[in-house]
């Protein structure tokens, strides 16, 4: 590790606090790479910066987890999978850089870096009674200097170093038709069913980057829901779903069946995250635009 790399978290931290510290540390690594680009004059090759971000964040997180939880297994986008996790009692599911495109891209005016990328850190624990078995999670938003996590206060999930998030999205106004349902969506390539929803007067798209950013936008009230039907890996959603569940949101498969993690095949076909008050409203809209959401309909 470089001399400027963040120090590793204290192994004595509880799992939820450790997830926060890991997300913060990896975020510091990613911010450091951007700072190096700026210090060198600002020129960069997007592909090279993406690769550097993936590699540097993965390297720091792997070393930090080996330091803090050496007995636990790890499932990561940027590391070789191991069958040992299938029999492990505890598995950290991580995405060192969710939204590589946004990480290596400046905003429209070219002066500012994009801020809609994330770091995902989740803990799967066999002892958790729910089907997802997610015991802790944190989604770091390094460019916003924020972390949303399952570490809660009475008011709900906490931004590390900040006040509790507000999940009140004025859903009564949606159900009464006074405002459209805000749906988090890809800013560059929303799928056809999302475009079909956007054609309705009662749905408004909120474009943004990574999957983690989309899910936590429902947690913080920027959006009312996020639906994905094109397939993702477990590391794309585990940490965001853990945070969303802690916030009291509805998180299921598209057909309403429960989410499961640490499966032999880590590919998840679809995801449905919604403020519970508008979940039925959204499912009805999905059916009306031709999406098959019958239980068991998804592979």
């Amino acid at each position: 590790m470089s001399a400027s790399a963040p120090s590793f978290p204290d192994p004595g931290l509880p799992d939820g606090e450790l997830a926060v510290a890991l997300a913060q540390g990896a975020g510091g690594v990613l911010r450091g790479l951007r700072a190096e680009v700026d210090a060198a004059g600002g020129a960069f090759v997007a592909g090279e910066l993406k690769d550097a971000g993936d590699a540097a964040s993965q390297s720091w997180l792997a070393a930090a987890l080996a330091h803090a939880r050496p007995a636990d297994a790890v499932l990561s986008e940027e590391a070789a999978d191991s069958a040992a996790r299938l029999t492990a009692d505890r598995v950290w599911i991580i995405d060192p850089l969710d939204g590589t495109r946004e990480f290596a891209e400046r905003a429209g005016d070219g002066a500012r870096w994009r801020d809609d990328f994330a770091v995902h850190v989740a803990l799967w624990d066999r002892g958790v009674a729910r089907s997802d078995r997610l015991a802790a999670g944190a989604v770091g938003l390094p460019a916003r200097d924020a972390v949303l996590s399952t570490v809660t206060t009475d008011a709900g999930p906490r931004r590390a170093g900040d006040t509790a998030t507000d999940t009140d999205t004025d859903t009564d106004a949606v159900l009464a038709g006074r405002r459209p349902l805000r749906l988090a969506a890809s800013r560059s390539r929303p799928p056809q069913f999302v475009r079909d929803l956007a054609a309705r007067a009662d749905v408004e798209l909120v474009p943004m980057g990574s999957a983690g950013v989309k899910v936590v936008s429902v947690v913080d009230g920027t959006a009312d829901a996020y639906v994905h039907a094109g397939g993702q890996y477990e590391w794309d959603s585990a940490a965001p779903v853990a945070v969303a569940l802690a916030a009291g949101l509805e998180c299921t498969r598209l057909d309403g069946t429960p989410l499961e993690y640490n499966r032999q095949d880590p590919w998840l076909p679809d995801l449905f995250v919604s403020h519970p008050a508008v979940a039925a409203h959204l499912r009805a809209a999905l059916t009306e635009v031709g999406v098959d959401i019958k239980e068991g309909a998804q592979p």
Side-chain angles (χ1 to χ4, degrees), residues 28 57 82 91 106 154 211 217 255 273 276 296:
S57 185
S82 170
V91 181
R106 294 190 185 273
D154 290 341
S217 76
D255 59 17
V273 178

Side-chain angles (χ1 to χ4, degrees), residues 209-234:
S210 79
V213 170
K214 293 183 182 77
V215 174
V216 299
S217 76
V218 188
V219 175
D220 68 22
T222 302
D224 302 305
Y226 168 55
V227 181
H228 185 87
Q232 296 172 321
Y233 287 97
E234 291 185 7

Side-chain angles (χ1 to χ4, degrees), residues 28-50:
V29 170
L30 293 168
R31 287 196 304 270
L33 289 175
R34 281 183 164 184
E36 290 175 6
V37 170
D38 291 337
F44 65 95
V45 177
E48 294 177 359
L49 185 56
K50 291 176 185 178

Side-chain angles (χ1 to χ4, degrees), residues 127-279:
V128 173
R130 295 191 315 266
S131 63
D132 58 84
R133 292 179 174 167
L134 297 174
V139 177
L141 306 174
R144 302 177 189 177
D145 195 23
V147 179
L148 279 76
S149 80
T150 53
V151 180
T152 61
T153 65
D154 290 341
R158 189 184 68 193
R159 290 180 183 269
D162 202 351
T163 57
T165 58
D166 179 5
T167 59
D168 180 4
T169 56
D170 189 22
T171 51
D172 287 345
V174 175
L175 299 177
R178 295 193 299 271
R179 76 159 173 87
L181 181 146
R182 298 186 297 259
L183 188 67
S186 170
R187 63 188 177 87
S188 57
R189 49 188 185 279
Q192 184 59 51
F193 82 91
V194 170
R195 295 196 295 271
D196 291 342
L197 284 172
R200 297 167 54 104
D202 60 349
V203 176
E204 174 187 344
L205 299 191
V206 185
M208 59 189 75
S210 79
V213 170
K214 293 183 182 77
V215 174
V216 299
S217 76
V218 188
V219 175
D220 68 22
T222 302
D224 302 305
Y226 168 55
V227 181
H228 185 87
Q232 296 172 321
Y233 287 97
E234 291 185 7
W235 49 75
D236 291 313
S237 68
V241 163
V243 174
L245 286 170
L249 300 183
E250 181 168 327
C251 303
T252 66
R253 293 281 305 279
L254 187 59
D255 59 17
T257 54
L259 292 164
E260 297 180 5
Y261 291 92
N262 194 37
R263 301 169 309 148
Q264 182 171 359
D265 181 357
W267 179 254
L268 285 172
D270 47 65
L271 177 65
F272 180 96
V273 178
S274 174
H275 190 293
V278 298

Side-chain angles (χ1 to χ4, degrees), residues 96-122:
L97 175 52
D98 180 56
T100 53
R101 175 176 177 173
E102 288 75 20
F103 171 69
E105 187 172 300
R106 294 190 185 273
D109 60 8
R112 298 173 293 108
W113 291 101
R114 295 199 66 88
D115 69 356
D116 48 346
F117 68 96
V119 175
H120 296 177
V121 180

Side-chain angles (χ1 to χ4, degrees), residues 46-89:
E48 294 177 359
L49 185 56
K50 291 176 185 178
D51 291 344
D54 278 332
S57 185
Q58 167 63 31
S59 177
W60 187 88
L61 281 169
L65 278 167
H67 170 76
R69 297 291 190 272
D72 293 352
V74 179
L75 171 63
S76 172
E77 179 178 15
E78 299 301 327
D81 195 4
S82 170
R85 68 177 173 80
L86 299 176
T87 55
D89 289 331

